[in-house]
Amino acid sequence: MDERQQIEQFLRRRHFHQVLPIAALIDMDGTLYDSMGNHADAWMKMAEEEHLPARREEFFIWEGQTGAMTINTLFRRTHGRDATEEEIRELYHRKTIYFQQLPPVSPMDGAQDMVATFIKSGVRRVLVTGSGQSSLINRIEADFPGAFTPELMVTSRDVEHGKPHPEPFIRAMQKAGVRPSQAIAIENAPLGVKSAVAAGVFTVGVVTGPIPVSDMEDAGAAIVYRSMREFADALPQLLLNLLTTAMP
Ligand code: MG
């Protein structure tokens, strides 16, 4: 299927006439930043200390959900119960410290070009992250100057339900003042894709880690790119294809 056919398939499924992107709803970890390896390492260190068995790849599969949900998943498996509020606070804090002790992460190759294309095209940028870690959120302006403003950010503090629940992307559209047919979501994690798809948004899956293309398709991505560089290079044409593809 070519790109136009993928767009048509999405329009048919959603009963939309057209997608005219006014806002781009952009994930942070693994999308803007090459940060998932460090997150997985920090989670593994905390889990090992706590004798909570886990495989490193699992933290890529669970990417996008809140830290509390990840801690509860580990707890249920090992202790057969959820963690207490106190345990969640303490363990997430420790994981955050370990993340900050690792070498600094870089923007994902291609991410700055992607953002520049949205700026040039007059598409509003909204950050949609399940993270509550200020160390990265505070760096955004330095690495992506002029791209994101605090009013157009959804972090773990803004939502009750994390990804894969649609709430983060619904909040993002409310903040940007757009409907689902006026948005495009950019995600690297299956749970993030599910969240955006459940919110009704045309969702681009970008593979930037060990998750295979098929997992992104299974999660419901309208279109999948094999790297952020590939997506950044393809974005001007994708925007043009969206503008010129409509259903009767
Ligand atoms: Mg991500």
Side-chain angles (χ1 to χ4, degrees):
M1 237 190 323
D2 69 16
E3 198 163 283
R4 220 169 252 288
Q5 289 168 318
Q6 289 173 302
I7 294 168
E8 284 170 358
Q9 190 182 56
F10 173 82
L11 294 174
R12 262 194 301 274
R13 199 182 300 154
R14 295 293 315 168
H15 305 289
F16 285 161
H17 170 61
Q18 198 173 9
V19 174
L20 292 173
I22 294 174
L25 319 178
I26 307 173
D27 170 56
M28 181 174 76
D29 285 295
T31 297
L32 289 178
Y33 284 104
D34 194 0
S35 49
M36 276 313 298
N38 280 10
H39 279 296
D41 290 345
W43 277 116
M44 282 301 286
K45 184 168 180 194
M46 186 282 281
E48 276 163 18
E49 282 175 358
E50 289 299 311
H51 307 289
L52 298 165
R55 286 176 296 112
R56 193 171 180 275
E57 313 84 75
E58 289 182 305
F59 296 104
F60 290 88
I61 296 164
W62 295 333
E63 191 202 336
Q65 68 181 15
T66 60
M69 285 166 78
T70 295
I71 291 166
N72 278 336
T73 306
L74 293 169
F75 260 65
R76 270 178 232 138
R77 177 197 284 170
T78 302
H79 302 307
R81 64 164 176 93
D82 280 351
T84 64
E85 297 264 312
E86 178 69 29
E87 286 164 335
I88 288 170
R89 221 181 355 258
E90 202 274 308
L91 297 181
Y92 189 63
H93 178 71
R94 212 190 307 162
K95 181 263 167 179
T96 303
I97 302 278
Y98 294 153
F99 180 81
Q100 286 164 356
Q101 288 169 348
L102 289 165
V105 299
S106 311
M108 192 67 75
D109 176 44
Q112 286 156 321
D113 292 335
M114 165 191 71
V115 166
T117 297
F118 282 128
I119 294 174
K120 204 162 60 185
S121 310
V123 176
R124 272 169 230 159
R125 288 79 50 201
V126 189
L127 188 79
V128 191
T129 178
S131 172
Q133 291 196 202
S134 46
S135 58
L136 268 190
I137 296 169
N138 292 342
R139 267 185 53 190
I140 290 237
E141 179 55 24
D143 292 322
F144 300 89
F148 299 95
T149 58
E151 310 82 74
L152 291 185
M153 286 186 184
V154 176
T155 72
S156 64
R157 282 181 273 273
D158 295 292
V159 294
E160 195 176 325
H161 307 284
K163 302 168 187 176
H165 194 282
E167 188 184 353
F169 285 94
I170 291 170
R171 287 288 297 134
M173 287 188 279
Q174 285 168 346
K175 288 194 178 201
V178 299
R179 298 190 299 272
S181 63
Q182 298 171 319
I184 173 173
I186 322 300
E187 262 291 350
N188 75 301
L191 294 182
V193 168
K194 279 188 183 168
S195 170
V197 169
V201 181
F202 182 87
T203 304
V204 172
V206 185
V207 173
T208 64
I211 302 288
V213 168
S214 57
D215 283 18
M216 305 294 268
E217 289 167 346
D218 291 347
I223 188 161
V224 181
Y225 295 90
R226 280 164 177 75
S227 69
M228 179 52 75
R229 170 51 57 201
E230 184 184 289
F231 174 54
D233 293 345
L235 180 56
Q237 186 62 46
L238 174 63
L239 290 174
L240 193 63
N241 285 343
L242 286 170
L243 292 178
T244 55
T245 306
M247 299 307 279

